[in-house]
Amino acid sequence: MTERLPPEAVERAAALLRAGDLVAFPTETVYGLGADARNGRAVAGVFEAKGRPHFNPLICHFPDAGAAFAEVLPDARARALAEAFWPGPLTLVLPRRPDCRIDLLAGAGLDTLAVRVPAHPLALALLRAAAVPVAGPSANRSGQVSPTTPEHVLDGLSGRIAAVLDGGPCAVGVESTVLDLAAGGAALLRHGGVPVEAIEAVIGPVARPIPLAAAEASRSLRSPGMMLSHYAPALPVRLDAHGVAADEALLAFGPPLPGAGAVWQMSEGYDLRQAATRLFAGLRWLDAEGARLGLSRIAVMPVPMDGLGAAINDRLARAAAPR
């Protein structure tokens, strides 16, 4: 059963997060579904609980700008925006630091992270008590309306998560504005609680997003993160491999096929959550090791479509897409 925790049970909620459990918590925008962002298995549990069909990058929440900027590389614009709008409903997409502690799955395998400091006293108390970065998409089943009360959270996720920290109704009721500063420019990825005009008053012109349908058609859809084309490794990817050549690297699921030039095991025991946590690290490692060894491509063993398998296969299909 999912616990409904009163506001004074912050320490209990923090302990659950540190233990790798999922805890919904209030922000000024909507309720977030929190997981320790350093714990790949906990992050995979977020996708599993939501029934999320894609490994979209998740927004990581911090108690202050200093904690957020310890994981990413801010420029002067990011610092000015943090000064102006944090705590508040603004998410910044910035390059990961080389020593970033956030699990790759939380950032969908990208070299960027979406970070913010929420303006809700209970959220900030939870983040300070947990003392871990918290990945937190909206606390609802994928495709459903975002939750602004604990009742909304329980309607969709009761029995799927450990607890919901009851902070009453959310004040803003729409998600945070997401701004991409990672590539040198400034691009709006999502309208939200901070008007773009207010952002422009601080840093100057901001590029507006192209329509979602056009972005998807061009394979340049941006979630909190970078273009989908940036997901792909340099080596070509071959899916549904039932055999492997000596000049191929192998991304294995289950007992590995014999004969590969290099092997990364997602889960020998067919554990989809373990596979999800090892997917992005595996693609990166095979890409680097394959290049070092002069291998021709990455072969991927079949992964079932059940549960998290749908999200894993979605990511693999994008990695294997023509480019």
Side-chain angles (χ1 to χ4, degrees), residues 239-311:
L239 302 180
D240 297 322
H242 295 278
V244 62
D247 68 343
E248 292 183 311
L250 179 67
L251 187 64
F253 182 72
L257 298 168
V263 177
W264 178 274
Q265 179 60 261
M266 288 190 289
S267 177
E268 191 156 10
Y270 300 104
D271 182 330
L272 286 169
R273 185 180 288 195
Q274 182 185 37
T277 68
R278 293 179 58 77
L279 169 64
F280 293 116
L283 284 171
R284 287 183 177 221
W285 185 84
L286 289 174
D287 200 31
E289 186 68 1
R292 187 182 73 81
L293 296 173
L295 303 182
S296 64
R297 66 182 62 82
I298 298 170
V300 182
M301 292 176 64
V303 177
M305 290 295 291
D306 304 332
L308 282 175

Side-chain angles (χ1 to χ4, degrees), residues 199-245:
I199 294 170
E200 289 181 320
V202 176
I203 65 167
V206 171
R208 296 336 192 237
I210 65 175
L212 289 178
E216 179 63 25
S218 67
R219 301 197 63 79
S220 64
L221 176 64
R222 290 171 177 256
S223 179
M226 298 179 68
M227 292 185 292
L228 292 177
S229 60
H230 290 185
Y231 284 6
L235 286 178
V237 174
R238 179 171 70 88
L239 302 180
D240 297 322
H242 295 278
V244 62

Side-chain angles (χ1 to χ4, degrees), residues 106-120:
L110 300 175
D111 293 325
T112 55
L113 277 179
V115 299
R116 89 174 184 102
V117 178
H120 192 293

Side-chain angles (χ1 to χ4, degrees), residues 21-317:
D21 291 315
L22 305 184
V23 177
F25 63 99
T27 75
E28 77 281 23
T29 57
V30 300
Y31 271 74
L33 179 54
D36 180 352
R38 307 167 309 168
N39 183 333
R41 195 167 183 86
V43 173
V46 169
F47 292 99
E48 190 173 45
K50 286 176 65 70
R52 196 163 182 164
H54 309 295
F55 286 138
N56 293 334
L58 304 179
I59 294 171
C60 294
H61 296 71
F62 299 86
D64 53 59
F69 292 158
E71 307 294 346
V72 294
L73 294 167
D75 58 15
R77 299 169 305 158
R79 294 187 183 281
L81 290 169
E83 179 69 23
F85 300 114
W86 282 356
L90 175 65
T91 294
L92 300 178
V93 177
L94 295 163
R96 293 171 64 107
R97 288 188 180 273
D99 59 349
C100 178
R101 301 172 300 159
I102 306 301
D103 191 84
L104 284 171
L105 185 58
L110 300 175
D111 293 325
T112 55
L113 277 179
V115 299
R116 89 174 184 102
V117 178
H120 192 293
L122 196 54
L124 293 173
L126 175 62
L127 292 166
R128 287 191 291 265
V132 296
V134 173
S138 57
N140 58 295
R141 294 283 286 166
S142 185
Q144 296 182 357
V145 178
S146 295
T148 56
T149 69
E151 290 79 13
H152 294 162
V153 176
L154 292 169
D155 284 347
L157 296 178
S158 182
R160 293 176 169 269
I161 64 176
V164 55
L165 184 60
D166 188 345
C170 299
V172 176
V174 295
E175 288 88 347
S176 62
T177 303
V178 181
L179 184 70
D180 187 354
L181 298 177
L188 182 69
L189 304 188
R190 182 177 75 187
H191 291 280
V194 175
V196 66
E197 293 80 9
I199 294 170
E200 289 181 320
V202 176
I203 65 167
V206 171
R208 296 336 192 237
I210 65 175
L212 289 178
E216 179 63 25
S218 67
R219 301 197 63 79
S220 64
L221 176 64
R222 290 171 177 256
S223 179
M226 298 179 68
M227 292 185 292
L228 292 177
S229 60
H230 290 185
Y231 284 6
L235 286 178
V237 174
R238 179 171 70 88
L239 302 180
D240 297 322
H242 295 278
V244 62
D247 68 343
E248 292 183 311
L250 179 67
L251 187 64
F253 182 72
L257 298 168
V263 177
W264 178 274
Q265 179 60 261
M266 288 190 289
S267 177
E268 191 156 10
Y270 300 104
D271 182 330
L272 286 169
R273 185 180 288 195
Q274 182 185 37
T277 68
R278 293 179 58 77
L279 169 64
F280 293 116
L283 284 171
R284 287 183 177 221
W285 185 84
L286 289 174
D287 200 31
E289 186 68 1
R292 187 182 73 81
L293 296 173
L295 303 182
S296 64
R297 66 182 62 82
I298 298 170
V300 182
M301 292 176 64
V303 177
M305 290 295 291
D306 304 332
L308 282 175
I312 293 169
N313 280 298
D314 173 82
R315 171 60 181 84
L316 290 170

